Amino acid sequence: MPAVEWLGQSRTDDDSKQTNTGRLLNCYREQNGDKFIIKSVLGMSAFADLDGVFMRAMSEVGGEIYAAHGGKLYNIDMTATVTELATIADGETTIAGNNGNITVTADGTYYNITSAGVSTNPSLSEVTEAGSVSFLGQRTIVTERNGRQFQWSDVADSTTFDALNFATAESRDDNIIRGLALGGQFWIFGER
């Protein structure tokens, strides 16, 4: 699968002439007249540490950060306290939320985890292996791993997936790589 780099040319930052904003990873957007420019964050300091190297996913849900690392799901709160919430599979992972619950797909398995750390694996009636998870319109949307189907939950309930709440991505005859809720729409990224 080809990698996508999120970078591009940018003008010199008047606040920090010595920096090159062409390959920013830690950046923010700032309005400059009627246009927006990308600016680098000047200086960083460590906030929280997780042992090891490979972080599978990180996402903000309900104002707190959740990280999948080493077969575990961690909560990182605003005071930088790291709390282990649940054991999950150690593989390709996505994280979303649904009204206080944390939803995770990890190595083909779908997890619903409460803020207290109670983890369940709700049945997905049409998707046999979970590829990615998103939240849109008060519903959890799960894509099929190595397939073309996606399924959505009942409203405000990340544990109930009705057998009729599914569809097939049919624009092209390729498998779904990932689904992403963005700007009130659900985007499906395929192999091609």
Side-chain angles (χ1 to χ4, degrees):
M1 178 171 80
V4 177
E5 290 190 33
W6 296 99
L7 59 95
Q9 293 296 327
S10 183
R11 71 183 200 118
T12 303
D13 185 351
D14 293 334
D15 295 338
S16 180
K17 294 280 189 191
Q18 73 276 9
T19 61
N20 175 3
T21 57
R23 297 182 72 73
L24 292 177
L25 291 179
N26 193 19
C27 59
Y28 66 98
R29 121 184 146 143
E30 184 175 280
Q31 191 159 1
N32 183 13
D34 62 341
K35 297 182 180 180
F36 287 93
I37 58 174
I38 296 176
K39 299 188 83 169
S40 63
V41 175
L42 303 176
M44 298 185 321
S45 59
F47 182 71
D49 286 323
L50 295 173
D51 292 332
V53 178
F54 300 110
M55 182 166 302
R56 297 294 184 177
M58 182 183 290
S59 187
E60 180 271 330
V61 177
E64 295 194 358
I65 301 293
Y66 294 88
H69 174 69
K72 305 283 184 188
L73 181 71
Y74 296 93
N75 169 268
I76 306 168
D77 68 16
M78 299 305 280
T79 65
T81 302
V82 177
T83 306
E84 182 182 318
L85 276 185
T87 299
I88 60 173
D90 189 17
E92 186 177 331
T93 304
T94 60
I95 303 169
N98 187 329
N99 296 295
N101 289 337
I102 296 82
T103 56
V104 176
T105 59
D107 201 29
T109 304
Y110 172 70
Y111 299 88
N112 184 77
I113 303 164
T114 68
S115 58
V118 177
S119 176
T120 59
N121 300 99
S123 174
L124 304 171
S125 59
E126 294 302 315
V127 173
T128 56
E129 279 193 277
S132 66
V133 66
S134 296
F135 177 73
L136 178 67
Q138 296 296 315
R139 297 179 193 272
T140 295
I141 305 170
V142 179
T143 63
E144 182 178 26
R145 182 180 185 188
N146 299 318
R148 295 174 43 217
Q149 291 186 327
F150 58 99
Q151 186 168 10
W152 54 92
S153 71
D154 286 352
V155 174
D157 181 1
S158 55
T159 61
T160 305
F161 290 82
D162 189 285
L164 297 176
N165 292 348
F166 77 98
T168 303
E170 297 177 349
S171 177
R172 290 186 181 245
D173 188 19
D174 60 348
N175 290 334
I176 296 172
I177 293 175
R178 176 136 189 216
L180 181 65
L182 184 64
Q185 296 180 331
F186 186 64
W187 292 78
I188 299 172
F189 296 88
E191 293 170 329
R192 293 183 307 227

